[in-house]
Amino acid sequence: MTLLVTGGAGFIGSNFVLDWLAHSAEPIVNLDKLTYAGNLQNLASLQGDARHTFVHGDIGDRELLGRLLAQHRPRAVLHFAAESHVDRSIHGPEDFIDTNVLGTFRLLEAARQYWQALEAPEKEAFRFLHVSTDEVYGSLDADAPAFTEQHRYEPNSPYSASKAASDHLVRAWHHTYGLPVLTTNCSNNYGPYHFPEKLIPLCIHNALAGKPLPIYGDGRQIRDWLYVQDHCSAIRRVLAAGRVGETYNVGGWNEKTNLEVVQTLCAILDELAPRADGQSYAQQITFVQDRPGHDRRYAIDASKLERELGWKPAETFESGIRKTVQWYLAHQDWVRGVTSGAYRQWIDLQYADANADTHTEASTSSTTKEPA
Ligand code: NAD
Ligand code: DAU
């Protein structure tokens, strides 16, 4: 038995691969294009482990997909590969359409052809698990109930629209062709190997480098945070027992404003790695221009997953965020490795415009700070 994982060198995918091989003898074939977000260093501990086969390639490559499926005969495809950063989707949406929409289409087609040729009982057992996001549901009002699986799709960014399109393709491949699919829609993840373009690792990195911690707009936007290993355990559970054709929301019941998240990071850093001048890292909080079309609030109702499959997160936000800060403090080499040339170009592009419109938390007047 084998799993084909796509995007297994990225943040969640690499955590999943490491987690899976820590729990199971079942091998993984890991197909990843190694975009800026993919990093084989995440998987360095698997060097020489025969259970892990890494394949450098694109989910849009039909021929490669056909060959891999025929050669490794996986019992499931776990589809993590995507362009995942909302801000990058605003600057350049085309890669998001190529990978998230067209790439998912090609992967579905390859999986369908492979699955249709399988004999029982392999055919009944096969699963295509699509890893998706809560962002497909759009933005919630402050007092609205959390997203259930019935919430209508209202994606607002090029990223979430491309993920919504991929969810619809997955659904259609089940309804039309009978492909045995499962879809998970998860809230914001955080934890080890999180690329420092996203809020939490960016702020840990900038704090330690003495740089501003850029908060978009008023910082009162709400996200629902889940420790990445809890997302991995949810995916394992859905793969093992999820009902074919169903979607499952995954979340940590941890709604926080962005400002609360960054203030929590600062408090933990003040304790574990105090600034030389004795001041709090919170001094570095800097309000910058808002993200265009910024969704105000996400909140996930994960009760279906708990009720039907008995899954619950193991970490609270408090325990998970502390572990995360500790991981970054202990892995500064990893951070240095991913924050070199191309990363600097992204930071310059994304935070350059914000220079015109920044203020610190202490003073909302005209103080201008360099955001990154
Ligand atoms: P990531 O950006 O860290 O990693 C994506 C990985 O996919 C990288 O290793 C990259 O090299 C690979 N990839 C990109 N294009 C590819 C292609 N065409 N072919 C093969 N590989 C390709 O993303 P992540 O944060 O780990 O997210 C993984 C999945 O989980 C995505 O589908 C994302 O939409 C979903 N998701 C993420 C979060 C989150 O908070 N990060 C929450 C919910 C759902
Ligand atoms: O909800 C799940 C989604 O969570 C995933 O599908 C995406 O792949 C993942 O990137 C994440 O999207 P967000 O846009 O919510 O994550 P990000 O870390 O980019 O931003 C979190 C919040 O923090 C968001 O409200 C924007 C804000 N933010 C972000 C950055 C990078 C800032 O205020 N300043 C920043 O510099």
Side-chain angles (χ1 to χ4, degrees):
M1 303 229 287
T2 298
L3 301 181
L4 174 61
V5 166
T6 71
F11 163 46
I12 304 173
S14 62
N15 274 285
F16 181 84
V17 169
L18 294 170
D19 215 53
W20 181 268
L21 294 177
H23 285 91
S24 167
E26 186 175 6
I28 284 183
V29 176
N30 181 354
L31 171 63
D32 197 295
K33 188 178 174 181
L34 296 180
T35 66
Y36 78 92
N39 184 356
L40 284 178
Q41 278 307 313
N42 302 4
L43 301 163
S45 62
L46 296 177
Q47 232 169 16
D49 189 328
R51 295 172 305 162
H52 180 240
T53 303
F54 182 77
V55 180
H56 185 195
D58 193 321
I59 58 164
D61 183 341
R62 285 194 181 96
E63 201 197 312
L64 173 64
L65 291 173
R67 209 167 58 236
L68 284 179
L69 289 163
Q71 184 187 343
H72 296 283
R73 307 193 61 75
R75 68 159 174 115
V77 173
L78 275 67
H79 180 31
F80 293 87
E83 288 293 336
S84 71
H85 190 31
V86 173
D87 293 322
R88 287 190 194 250
S89 83
I90 295 167
H91 283 282
E94 193 159 344
D95 286 348
F96 289 72
I97 305 304
D98 280 351
T99 285
N100 302 358
V101 186
L102 199 55
T104 299
F105 158 72
R106 297 243 168 90
L107 187 64
L108 280 166
E109 275 295 79
R112 175 169 79 88
Q113 279 159 24
Y114 165 72
W115 167 76
Q116 280 175 333
L118 289 175
E119 303 284 350
E122 283 81 12
K123 191 167 186 183
E124 279 76 52
F126 182 79
R127 296 289 181 269
F128 184 103
L129 193 155
H130 176 57
V131 180
S132 193
T133 171
D134 61 358
E135 299 204 10
V136 297
Y137 299 125
S139 188
L140 283 171
D141 288 339
D143 52 356
F147 300 128
T148 67
E149 291 78 0
Q150 274 69 50
H151 201 281
R152 74 174 174 163
Y153 272 38
E154 286 181 321
N156 290 320
S157 71
Y159 163 70
S160 56
S162 69
K163 289 297 289 188
S166 69
D167 292 9
H168 291 320
L169 291 175
V170 170
R171 177 188 162 87
W173 260 240
H174 173 63
H175 280 265
T176 304
Y177 304 111
L179 187 71
V181 304
L182 298 158
T183 296
T184 55
N185 292 92
C186 189
S187 61
N188 283 61
N189 284 213
Y190 65 100
Y193 304 115
H194 204 183
F195 192 76
E197 63 185 355
K198 309 277 169 71
L199 180 70
I200 288 179
L202 176 83
C203 285
I204 298 173
H205 176 58
N206 281 12
L208 295 172
K211 293 180 178 169
L213 313 181
I215 305 276
Y216 296 160
D218 64 3
R220 314 260 167 219
Q221 305 83 3
I222 291 173
R223 296 291 182 267
D224 187 350
W225 295 93
L226 181 71
Y227 192 61
V228 64
Q229 275 158 17
D230 281 325
H231 189 186
C232 296
S233 74
I235 290 171
R236 283 205 309 276
R237 190 69 198 123
V238 171
L239 178 66
R243 285 187 292 133
V244 164
E246 291 290 313
T247 66
Y248 294 91
N249 281 356
V250 186
W253 306 99
N254 282 312
E255 285 187 60
K256 306 273 174 212
T257 67
N258 294 336
L259 200 49
E260 276 177 277
V261 168
V262 176
Q263 283 165 341
T264 303
L265 289 176
C266 290
I268 299 173
L269 284 168
D270 286 343
E271 181 194 327
L272 300 181
R275 270 174 39 161
D277 63 3
Q279 301 272 344
S280 170
Y281 287 100
Q283 299 285 326
Q284 292 164 235
I285 290 176
T286 304
F287 291 88
V288 302
Q289 203 170 54
D290 209 351
R291 171 185 281 176
H294 199 169
D295 283 338
R296 198 69 188 163
R297 175 177 167 237
Y298 303 143
I300 274 280
D301 179 339
S303 49
K304 176 179 175 185
L305 186 52
E306 183 175 344
R307 196 175 56 248
E308 290 191 9
L309 305 185
W311 176 87
K312 269 191 194 178
E315 300 290 343
T316 62
F317 184 71
E318 289 65 33
S319 63
I321 199 74
R322 181 167 283 271
K323 278 189 183 179
T324 302
V325 174
Q326 284 166 336
W327 187 88
Y328 278 88
L329 289 172
H331 292 82
Q332 285 295 297
D333 282 356
W334 181 89
V335 176
R336 269 191 291 280
V338 298
T339 52
S340 53
Y343 175 79
R344 290 289 335 156
Q345 284 160 24
W346 163 251
I347 293 295
D348 290 346
L349 173 70
Q350 170 61 11
Y351 298 98
D353 293 348
N355 267 332
D357 181 21
T358 66
H359 53 267
T360 61
E361 189 177 20
S363 150
T364 53
S365 67
S366 59
T367 321
T368 299
K369 281 196 157 191
E370 230 191 285

